[in-house]
């Protein structure tokens, strides 16, 4: 109709860091390219970290078929380096970061873009739905543990929410392009490390390239410090494929716990949420009260009380999961998964604390953590 305003479809840059993801990268790219967003308003920047499992051959086929797909070399093979490389070449007014081990629900891109405009957010992401790579009791139990409040606390993109909610971090986030400039510009005057000749993000871009893990969370923490708003919308979802290997789960829990603490050595302030430090406190308290028990036997009573409380909470959460999944076997498997998740994470964090203790300032940073309370969601 003449005179009627036309809807403007923003140009979106989709960034996909990957390395050795031949089993998942095809499905990931399909979910982006067939998401329903106009291909002429989309560029897909896949940053490959010297893959050795045939991933590059898959990428070459997609790049040959789709003109909007571009491959970028990542010689450092690290995720934050991949993100910074892609951002330096991204041309979109919005930037969507997608994990290669995941896929997007139809309409995810448009849903995020519209929510950014509707709510005035800086970053928007949907719910993450964890799916096991194998439908075994162990695989289903791992997914249940990392999707339950007892397992991961108030990580809302994992445990889900009924309506839009301001949060501290999201998965597969869609950003306003200027967000990265705001965060990087703020580093120079906010970082306590600047006086030592370094910056809060290392080198090369807004993502801290010293962090092997947790770079999204750390960037989101800095964004919130400069007034940024991060929104979780349950109207759309992404699927994350979780390995169903118990040994891998233990290793991953350890490494996640380790990288909940190591960022303190490379960042100013507290780079993680308090929920990430709870397993560290739990394991440290158990070990400390047990050690003191050799001198003061009453300390063993405190240790036993803590373990009993944990066991009761673990069993209650496991029963809830088993009832929801209608699986009697999970009554026996889920408690073990919860225990591995918490103790593996806590022990990894403890080792991380030992590693960075000589740098000093760990407890001072934790104690002075200040994150603004989230405002209520205002419907436009």
């Amino acid at each position: 109709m003449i005179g009627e305003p036309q809807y403007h479809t923003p140009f979106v840059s989709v960034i996909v860091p990957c390395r050795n993801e031949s089993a998942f990268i095809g499905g990931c790219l399909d979910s982006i390219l067939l998401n329903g967003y106009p291909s002429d308003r989309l560029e897909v920047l896949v940053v490959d970290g010297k893959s050795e499992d045939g991933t590059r051959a898959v990428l070459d086929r997609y790049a040959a078929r789709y003109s909007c797909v571009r491959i970028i070399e990542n010689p450092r093979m690290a995720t934050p380096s991949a993100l910074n490389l892609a951002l330096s070449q991204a041309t979109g007014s919005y930037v969507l970061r997608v994990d290669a081990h995941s896929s997007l629900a139809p309409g995810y891109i448009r849903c995020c873009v519209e929510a950014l405009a509707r709510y005035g957010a800086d970053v928007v992401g949907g719910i993450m739905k964890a799916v096991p790579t194998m439908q075994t009791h162990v695989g289903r139990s791992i997914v249940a543990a990392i999707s339950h409040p007892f397992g991961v606390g108030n990580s809302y993109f994992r445990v889900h929410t009924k309506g839009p909610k301001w949060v501290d971090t999201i998965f597969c986030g869609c950003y306003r392009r200027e967000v990265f400039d705001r965060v990087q510009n703020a580093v120079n005057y906010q970082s306590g490390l600047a006086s030592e000749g370094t910056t809060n993000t290392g080198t090369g871009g807004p993502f801290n390239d010293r962090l092997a893990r947790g770079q999204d969370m750390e960037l989101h923490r800095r964004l919130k410090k400069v007034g940024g708003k991060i929104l979780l919308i349950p109207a759309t979802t992404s699927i994350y494929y979780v390995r169903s290997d118990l040994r891998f789960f233990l290793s991953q829990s350890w490494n996640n716990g380790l990288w909940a603490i190591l960022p303190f050595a490379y960042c100013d302030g507290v780079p993680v949420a308090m929920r990430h430090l709870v397993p560290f406190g739990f394991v440290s308290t158990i070990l400390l009260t047990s050690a003191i028990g050799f001198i003061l036997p009453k300390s063993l009573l405190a240790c036993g009380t803590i373990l009993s409380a944990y066991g009761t909470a673990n069993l209650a959460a496991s029963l809830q999961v088993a009832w929801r999944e209608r699986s009697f076997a999970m009554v026996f498997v889920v408690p073990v998964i919860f225990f591995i998740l918490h103790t593996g994470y806590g022990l990894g964090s403890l080792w991380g604390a030992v590693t960075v203790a000589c740098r000093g300032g760990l407890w001072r940073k934790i104690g002075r953590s200040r994150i603004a309370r989230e405002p209520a969601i205002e419907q436009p």
Side-chain angles (χ1 to χ4, degrees), residues 64-297:
R65 182 178 178 185
Y66 298 96
S67 60
C68 62
V69 175
R70 185 151 52 96
I71 305 170
I72 301 174
E73 302 286 350
N74 177 22
R76 296 186 64 180
M77 300 182 291
T79 300
S81 298
L83 295 170
N84 288 333
L85 280 170
L87 281 173
S88 69
Q89 300 185 37
T91 60
S93 55
Y94 293 114
V95 175
L96 174 63
R97 184 256 203 263
V98 179
D99 193 290
H101 220 65
S102 64
S103 61
L104 305 179
Y108 187 97
I109 300 174
R110 185 174 294 279
C111 190
C112 288
V113 168
E114 291 178 350
L116 281 168
R118 182 181 184 188
Y119 293 99
D122 294 290
V123 189
V124 167
I127 295 295
M128 186 192 81
K129 181 180 179 182
V131 173
T133 54
M134 294 186 293
Q135 289 293 333
T136 62
H137 291 307
V138 170
R140 292 171 59 201
S141 296
I142 290 175
V143 165
I146 65 172
S147 305
H148 194 281
F150 181 70
V152 294
N154 64 339
S155 180
Y156 291 107
F157 72 84
R158 293 178 183 270
V159 302
H160 305 174
T161 181
K162 293 182 179 179
K165 185 177 182 63
W166 300 113
V167 293
D168 57 7
T169 192
I170 38 81
F171 180 73
C172 287
C174 187
Y175 302 76
R176 297 179 186 273
R177 182 64 180 84
E178 63 267 20
V179 162
F180 300 105
D181 297 327
R182 285 171 56 197
V183 172
Q184 192 166 12
N185 290 338
V187 168
N188 293 331
Y189 63 82
Q190 286 195 348
S191 174
L193 298 178
S195 60
E196 300 175 14
T198 61
T199 68
N200 208 15
T201 60
T203 57
F207 285 93
N208 191 327
D209 59 11
R210 296 185 179 93
L211 305 183
R213 301 190 183 204
Q215 57 278 149
D216 290 339
M217 166 65 81
E218 192 272 337
L219 180 132
H220 293 157
R221 302 288 282 184
R222 283 187 280 124
L223 173 61
K224 287 172 69 65
K225 285 183 178 180
V226 295
K229 296 188 293 183
I230 304 169
L231 184 68
L232 175 67
I233 52 173
T236 190
T237 61
S238 60
I239 296 175
Y240 182 74
Y241 300 97
V242 181
R243 285 184 57 172
S244 304
D245 184 300
L246 199 58
R247 181 178 297 179
F248 177 82
F249 181 64
L250 175 59
S251 174
Q252 186 180 49
S253 298
W254 166 279
N255 284 316
N256 287 342
L258 177 68
W259 280 98
I261 300 297
L262 289 185
F264 284 93
Y266 308 115
C267 309
D268 184 43
V270 179
V272 296
M274 285 301 160
R275 64 175 176 272
H276 296 106
L277 303 177
V278 172
F280 172 44
F282 170 67
V283 169
S284 298
T285 301
I286 294 301
L287 293 177
L288 181 62
T289 52
S290 298
I292 295 176
F294 288 102
I295 303 173
L296 299 173

